[in-house]
Amino acid sequence: MKLEQDVFPNFYKYRECVVEEPNAELFTGRKQPLEFFWNRLYEQANRQHPWNIAITSQRKSGKSAFLSRCFNLAFWEQDEVIPFYYSLQEEQYRHIRELCYTILFAFAKQAVAFALKDPAIMNIKTPEEIKKFLQKRREPWAKTVLSYWEKGYPEMIEKALGPDHLNHVWLFIDAMSHVFKKRCVFIFDEAQELARCVLHEKAEPLFPDPSRVPAAELQPYIISCHESVKFIHNNPRIWILVSGSCVSMLMYRVIAHGLENRFQKEPMNPLAKEEALELVEKIVHGRKIKAYAGLAEKVYELVGGNPFYITTLFEQKLWQKAKYFDSPAGVETAYQMEVLHPDGKIFRFWNEHLLNNAELLNHESVEERKKTFRVLQYIAGLQGQTIYYVELEEKFPDIENLMAKLVKLREADFLLTDVDIYRRSGRIEGLRDRVLAVFLLHVFYEELLDNPSLEKQQQAVKMLRAGMDIMQIQAELGKVRRHVKKITHRVENLDDRQTDAGKQITQVRDEVKETRHESRRRAKKVAAEVKNLAETVAKVDRGVKSLRGTEAQVKGTRKENEVCRRVRVALEKGQGFFQRYTLVGSLTSRNFKLDNGKGYELDIVGRIREEKSGREMMLAIEVKDRKTKVTAADAEKFVRAVKTVKQQEKLPVVALYLDTQGRFAKSAAGLLEKCCIRYGKVEEFVQ
């Protein structure tokens, strides 16, 4: 099959997957990037020296699926360029020699499989199998490939030191190009792992299995092999297509240091709207989901064109509560389950990413760390809009090292633009990923990084260990019982033995008596230990229940903060009920001592000014978020609090009682109306 300029195969159908594609049956869109790839493949076949490509985009944007599809198309739909593919597993530490042999083995199988158009060769599991396979082949190239694989390159790898080991792996691609007299394309996924997860050969005798060793112990032996790509980047016989989940690492380490001008950077954008709608239709029909007419439009409105978000929204297996897509409310519930719930797949993905980068974002004091997250949350709130660096400096006058914090955010892959250009252009773009922006705006960073969940994990570990100790003690008791049973059996059999059996019986009985005494002593000790462990488990359980209560309080505080933010925006923009007023100072929560001597916390308190008269007033708002109605007792407490504010501040009070459900008992409504206090649902007063 000959390659031709602007003549493309069917990108969405081929014989079978040679390299595994995640959700291959759902692959949708990407027509323009695939056409770009195919034309570059044509240029490589016709010796036009195409630019090497680095795919840059945010995590979970479909890069791996795209690269796998590129390899499978190049394998089946043309014969002129040999495709090679390798994907490093993210955050999996590997010894340098082991990595080299693994890549070399994969390359040898891919070259032979492509030459014979036989994907079954990819199922060969050991080097010995590929050796036997090549020995049986009659093709002229078989002996040459066998000699390279069996002796040449392994010997060179063994003699090399440090990162130079990989140079010979890349040279193997060039060798295959000469053997088959064809040019090559090297598709390399998760390339950033070359800079952070490869171990020096000195670590092999110390850590035979790195997966069982804490990462901190491996750090001194990590070698950065990213510069080995230089060894082939200028080879006209090899065209390179790289990508990775860590954009910052890929852009500023792997293809830096002289390679920037050798790679053309291409973003992996979200699916276009038509493509996203098509993907939703594929999922709905493939899984036979009951859906209403506007489902696809609603999904695109919520998560945009990110394939990971779209497919995750329809996953059911991790949830006991079923998802329904027969109404807009059902879609929004599924969205909240995945994005805003701690058990949601999207929430857990970004939560883990945030925790992994917590130290990178700011390893200084807690106050400095909070400043970093203030900047991040503000940029997230821009929802893709552009802000100028000067405005950012004015917004955060208390942050002296603002540029350093932007650099940290870029290194953590929350900003994808080179922050060095901020000083020159003065422009900073907000996050284009609307789901990530929503996640960042709803997470309490101080609590997240102080990590109360970590305390829960530690308590759970204690309970798990306590349970394991009990199981171990029970196992010991079982051994004692079996031992006693065995001795008793021996005693019963001694009666039928010879005349000297009496002495043996006496000896065995003494042994049994002593063993029983010892077992009773041990049993008492074990019982005491079990009792202590049970008390420990009960104590831990009480602690977990206490933490659950704290979680409920945090959830309520989160809703109050959200309403406070919306009220502040309404005052600043003059929206709805608040269009007559302007904010003087800030909005906070405050505790007041009522006339009955009891304390009361008002959720939102601040000073406002009436624009028409210029009079200053106090704003007092109570926010309730619960399933039951607001009672007269609740309303009476609020009325007392309003009177206290008025007496202490000596100013008129504009009072609002807001409930997320808008449910008020008749007695509560009557009392509020009598005291000229407005009440209702949150959305009736703020957008």
Side-chain angles (χ1 to χ4, degrees), residues 149-414:
W149 164 246
E150 188 177 17
K151 187 176 180 182
Y153 285 90
E155 285 184 0
M156 288 189 284
I157 289 172
E158 287 296 329
K159 292 177 182 179
L161 295 173
D164 292 342
H165 288 90
L166 280 167
N167 296 346
H168 303 295
V169 176
W170 310 141
L171 276 176
F172 184 78
I173 301 177
D174 182 69
M176 293 300 97
S177 175
H178 285 87
V179 168
F180 292 101
K181 298 180 175 55
K182 295 178 181 179
R183 296 203 166 197
C184 306
V185 55
F186 175 32
I187 302 172
F188 194 13
D189 195 16
E190 304 295 355
Q192 79 280 347
E193 298 304 310
L194 286 179
R196 63 183 185 183
C197 286
V198 182
L199 300 175
H200 197 279
E201 61 265 18
K202 293 179 181 178
E204 286 188 49
L206 299 175
F207 310 111
D209 186 0
S211 64
R212 298 179 178 270
V213 181
E217 295 183 28
L218 299 174
Q219 287 300 317
Y221 298 94
I222 291 177
I223 54 176
S224 186
C225 301
H226 58 276
E227 292 193 19
S228 67
V229 180
K230 287 183 179 179
F231 207 68
I232 55 169
H233 80 278
N234 205 26
N235 187 332
R237 305 184 70 87
I238 304 172
W239 174 45
I240 306 174
L241 178 61
V242 301
S243 183
S245 297
C246 185
V247 177
S248 176
M249 183 78 73
L250 178 69
M251 296 300 298
Y252 304 106
R253 292 283 297 280
V254 178
I255 61 172
H257 307 294
L259 297 183
E260 301 95 328
N261 297 327
R262 300 288 181 179
F263 280 82
Q264 180 178 342
K265 302 172 185 65
E266 291 292 335
M268 179 63 67
N269 294 319
L271 297 176
K273 183 176 181 179
E274 296 76 13
E275 297 171 342
L277 300 184
E278 181 184 349
L279 175 57
V280 173
E281 293 299 324
K282 281 186 179 180
I283 296 172
V284 169
H285 290 298
R287 301 178 185 176
K288 298 179 180 179
I289 296 172
K290 183 179 179 181
Y292 75 102
L295 173 64
E297 291 279 353
K298 183 65 176 178
V299 170
Y300 184 78
E301 176 190 337
L302 290 172
V303 301
N306 186 300
F308 168 66
Y309 296 155
I310 294 173
T311 54
T312 301
L313 207 62
F314 290 92
E315 289 182 1
Q316 294 274 12
K317 56 185 179 182
L318 297 178
W319 295 94
Q320 294 181 351
K321 178 182 177 181
K323 294 179 181 177
Y324 299 96
F325 301 94
D326 52 358
S327 68
V331 182
E332 290 179 359
T333 301
Y335 172 83
Q336 292 172 2
M337 290 167 67
E338 295 293 351
V339 178
L340 300 180
H341 194 283
D343 291 333
K345 187 174 181 180
I346 298 172
F347 183 100
R348 284 187 283 110
F349 170 77
W350 285 117
N351 184 37
E352 181 181 351
H353 177 66
L354 193 60
L355 288 173
N356 289 340
N357 287 282
E359 291 300 321
L360 180 63
L361 289 178
N362 203 320
H363 58 276
E364 300 171 357
S365 65
V366 175
E367 289 303 319
E368 286 297 313
R369 185 168 57 193
K370 289 180 179 179
K371 290 178 182 178
T372 302
F373 286 119
R374 280 172 53 206
V375 175
L376 176 59
Q377 193 174 36
Y378 180 74
I379 293 175
L382 294 175
Q383 295 283 337
Q385 299 176 17
T386 298
I387 186 174
Y388 288 89
Y389 183 76
V390 175
E391 297 177 29
L392 205 59
E393 286 182 315
E394 294 176 354
K395 182 70 178 177
F396 301 101
D398 57 322
I399 302 179
E400 298 178 357
N401 54 345
L402 181 59
M403 178 57 69
K405 295 191 181 300
L406 291 173
V407 171
K408 290 180 183 295
L409 292 174
R410 189 264 291 167
E411 291 175 352
D413 276 355
F414 286 109

Side-chain angles (χ1 to χ4, degrees), residues 90-150:
E90 194 171 0
E91 297 183 1
Q92 179 176 328
Y93 294 95
R94 304 285 291 272
H95 293 299
I96 180 71
R97 289 196 183 98
E98 177 192 357
L99 176 63
C100 290
Y101 288 131
T102 303
I103 299 176
L104 202 64
F105 182 44
F107 285 175
K109 291 193 295 183
Q110 290 169 6
V112 175
F114 179 76
L116 300 174
K117 286 292 190 239
D118 183 4
I121 296 170
M122 299 296 293
N123 297 324
I124 293 177
K125 302 298 182 184
T126 65
E128 286 300 319
E129 290 182 56
I130 193 72
K131 177 180 175 181
K132 291 178 182 178
F133 179 84
L134 290 171
Q135 288 172 342
K136 295 178 182 178
R137 301 302 302 183
R138 301 295 182 185
E139 289 82 0
W141 47 262
K143 289 184 178 179
T144 308
V145 175
L146 179 61
S147 65
Y148 283 155
W149 164 246
E150 188 177 17

Side-chain angles (χ1 to χ4, degrees), residues 5 39 42-51 183:
Q5 182 79 29
N39 279 332
Y42 165 81
E43 293 175 8
Q44 176 68 353
N46 289 273
R47 294 170 170 75
Q48 296 180 17
H49 310 306
W51 279 68
R183 296 203 166 197

Side-chain angles (χ1 to χ4, degrees), residues 9-70:
N10 185 346
F11 294 136
Y12 309 102
K13 187 177 181 180
Y14 49 83
R15 197 177 307 173
E16 62 180 284
C17 290
V18 183
V19 169
E20 183 180 357
E21 286 187 40
N23 296 321
E25 73 283 358
L26 296 179
F27 190 92
T28 306
R30 306 294 188 203
K31 182 179 179 182
Q32 186 174 352
L34 286 168
E35 289 179 352
F36 176 83
F37 167 78
W38 204 253
N39 279 332
R40 298 297 84 75
L41 206 64
Y42 165 81
E43 293 175 8
Q44 176 68 353
N46 289 273
R47 294 170 170 75
Q48 296 180 17
H49 310 306
W51 279 68
N52 296 321
I53 303 296
I55 297 180
T56 62
S57 67
Q58 186 178 277
R59 291 166 178 263
K60 292 295 184 184
S61 57
K63 297 184 294 295
S64 295
F66 173 76
L67 293 181
S68 302
R69 179 61 55 111
C70 287

Side-chain angles (χ1 to χ4, degrees), residues 498-509:
Q498 299 177 353
T499 55
D500 59 340
K503 294 181 181 179
Q504 295 181 18
I505 291 172
T506 302
Q507 183 181 355
V508 170
R509 282 177 178 168

